[in-house]
Amino acid sequence: MASPELSVIHNTRLDGLAQPVQVIAITGGKGGVGKTSVAVNLATALAARRRRVVLLDGDLGLANADVFLGLSPRYTLAHVLSGERTLDEIMVAAPQGFQLIPAAAGAADLAQMGPTEHLGLVQAFSALATRLDVLIVDTAAGLAHSVLQFSQAAQQVVIVICDEPASITDAYALVKVLSRNHGVQRFRVLANQIRTPGGGLELFQRFERVAARFLDVTLEYAGEIPEDDCLRRSVRGQRPVLDEFPSSAASRAFKKLAAHADTWPVAAGPRGNIEFFVERLVRRPAARPQVVR
Ligand SMILES: Nc1ncnc2c1ncn2[C@@H]1O[C@H](COP(=O)(O)OP(=O)(O)OP(=O)(O)O)[C@@H](O)[C@H]1O
Ligand SMILES: [Mg+2]
């Protein structure tokens, strides 16, 4: 059911609300698996495919998408929520042809926002929706509320895993909480830092065997990104690897991922609207405890 502030918006008619937007959350549970690297390079690769892309830095604690892009934003989403700035004023244009929404550090729990902030968020995103095909959300590590909220709100949830036991167990915990408490049943799994070609599929299958056995979820393999020193060097150089080393193995994999992501269905009707995204973003999670064993 729509929240009261959304009903207010229905009456004020905001054109952007009708536009279908693909919302992709990049998440994974464990820290350092490569979420921000994937988010930044997927944004770059989709922008190169002439998609109108906005990258939302959803890592509310350790926001660093701006650092990966060598940008120094002055304002963040927090200024939009407080009404001090508009979304247009805080968005930063990345030279790679997309826009960055810098994180609202400190607004760690979106569910605790009041009606005024909800309204601000819906208005901010609806104004944006007219000029946007894809919204990519880079999330924080762990099971923070913001991670769960961004994931439950997205149309596509990409779980980044790598071949480390902690990555698999943390990804499992995340999928478990999202499926049991947040109504997310479908996940795309991207294998990162893969050392041998084809190793990503093998890793995915290992993860899927456990998840399919114990959880009621559908997992789809999104492909693999190789372990590539060019990517590490590009992070140090504060540029996407696609920009810095366009013919590297990692860059080729990101182009392939973008071509694949371009085929992911965008929900038609209300489910594909940015309104729906914001509605789910601010929805409080189910009352069930989020204990993961
Ligand atoms: N495919 C790869 N090949 C080589 N190095 C990689 C690859 N992916 C990520 N890395 C390295 O891992 C580091 C951490 O990556 P990144 O910051 O993208 O992870 P993260 O999941 O966003 O971390 P956090 O949880 O802290 O936000 C990068 O700085 C980069 O050096
Ligand atoms: Mg990150």
Side-chain angles (χ1 to χ4, degrees), residues 32 34-37 59 62 64 68 138-141:
K35 298 176 292 294
T36 305
S37 304
D59 191 340
L62 296 166
N64 63 357
F68 272 59
D138 177 27
T139 73

Side-chain angles (χ1 to χ4, degrees), residues 50-118:
R50 303 199 171 279
R51 297 288 167 256
R52 296 169 303 172
V53 180
V54 171
L55 172 60
L56 168 59
D57 190 342
D59 191 340
L60 306 178
L62 296 166
N64 63 357
D66 53 337
V67 180
F68 272 59
L69 293 163
L71 300 170
S72 311
R74 199 156 158 212
Y75 303 108
T76 71
L77 199 56
H79 294 96
V80 178
L81 299 178
S82 65
E84 287 167 74
R85 301 280 154 195
T86 66
L87 203 48
D88 281 313
E89 285 168 338
I90 67 134
M91 275 201 302
V92 190
Q96 293 75 24
F98 61 89
Q99 304 279 324
L100 171 72
I101 302 177
D109 194 346
L110 296 167
Q112 299 309 313
M113 291 190 320
T116 316
E117 286 142 327
H118 283 190

Side-chain angles (χ1 to χ4, degrees), residues 17-252:
L17 293 176
Q19 305 283 325
V21 176
Q22 177 72 283
V23 183
I24 306 174
I26 310 292
T27 190
K30 187 181 175 298
V33 287
K35 298 176 292 294
T36 305
S37 304
V38 169
V40 160
N41 283 288
L42 180 59
T44 304
L46 283 171
R49 296 175 69 84
R50 303 199 171 279
R51 297 288 167 256
R52 296 169 303 172
V53 180
V54 171
L55 172 60
L56 168 59
D57 190 342
D59 191 340
L60 306 178
L62 296 166
N64 63 357
D66 53 337
V67 180
F68 272 59
L69 293 163
L71 300 170
S72 311
R74 199 156 158 212
Y75 303 108
T76 71
L77 199 56
H79 294 96
V80 178
L81 299 178
S82 65
E84 287 167 74
R85 301 280 154 195
T86 66
L87 203 48
D88 281 313
E89 285 168 338
I90 67 134
M91 275 201 302
V92 190
Q96 293 75 24
F98 61 89
Q99 304 279 324
L100 171 72
I101 302 177
D109 194 346
L110 296 167
Q112 299 309 313
M113 291 190 320
T116 316
E117 286 142 327
H118 283 190
L119 190 62
L121 198 63
V122 176
Q123 282 173 332
F125 277 99
S126 61
L128 178 74
T130 53
R131 299 173 273 125
L132 167 72
D133 300 312
V134 186
L135 177 68
I136 298 174
V137 188
D138 177 27
T139 73
L143 300 173
H145 274 298
S146 68
V147 175
L148 304 172
Q149 285 167 280
F150 282 126
S151 301
Q152 80 179 17
Q155 295 191 41
Q156 312 288 343
V157 180
V158 175
I159 305 280
V160 181
I161 57 173
C162 62
D163 195 0
E164 283 173 32
S167 165
I168 300 299
T169 52
D170 289 4
Y172 179 83
L174 178 62
V175 167
K176 182 171 176 176
V177 171
L178 283 171
S179 63
R180 296 207 172 159
N181 299 351
H182 295 263
V184 185
Q185 251 62 52
R186 198 180 190 84
F187 300 86
R188 299 183 186 271
V189 180
L190 180 69
N192 187 30
Q193 305 186 36
I194 296 305
R195 293 207 174 84
T196 46
L201 181 60
E202 194 267 329
L203 178 64
F204 167 73
Q205 287 167 340
R206 243 192 296 148
F207 181 61
E208 192 189 30
R209 268 198 294 276
V210 186
R213 189 157 156 216
F214 297 106
L215 306 174
D216 181 22
V217 293
T218 305
L219 303 180
E220 282 181 54
Y221 182 49
E224 69 184 27
I225 310 294
E227 159 90 29
D228 187 343
D229 196 48
C230 287
L231 196 150
R232 249 186 303 271
R233 282 157 59 196
S234 75
V235 172
R236 284 199 294 272
Q238 293 186 272
R239 282 173 66 189
V241 69
L242 269 163
D243 231 17
E244 188 108 323
F245 304 104
S247 52
S248 64
S251 293
R252 289 199 303 274

Side-chain angles (χ1 to χ4, degrees), residues 1-7 10 275-276 279-280 282-284:
M1 213 181 75
S3 51
E5 56 272 28
L6 286 174
S7 325
H10 287 309
E275 176 188 359
F276 200 68
E279 166 74 5
R280 281 176 297 176
V282 298
R283 187 198 297 157
R284 281 171 176 64

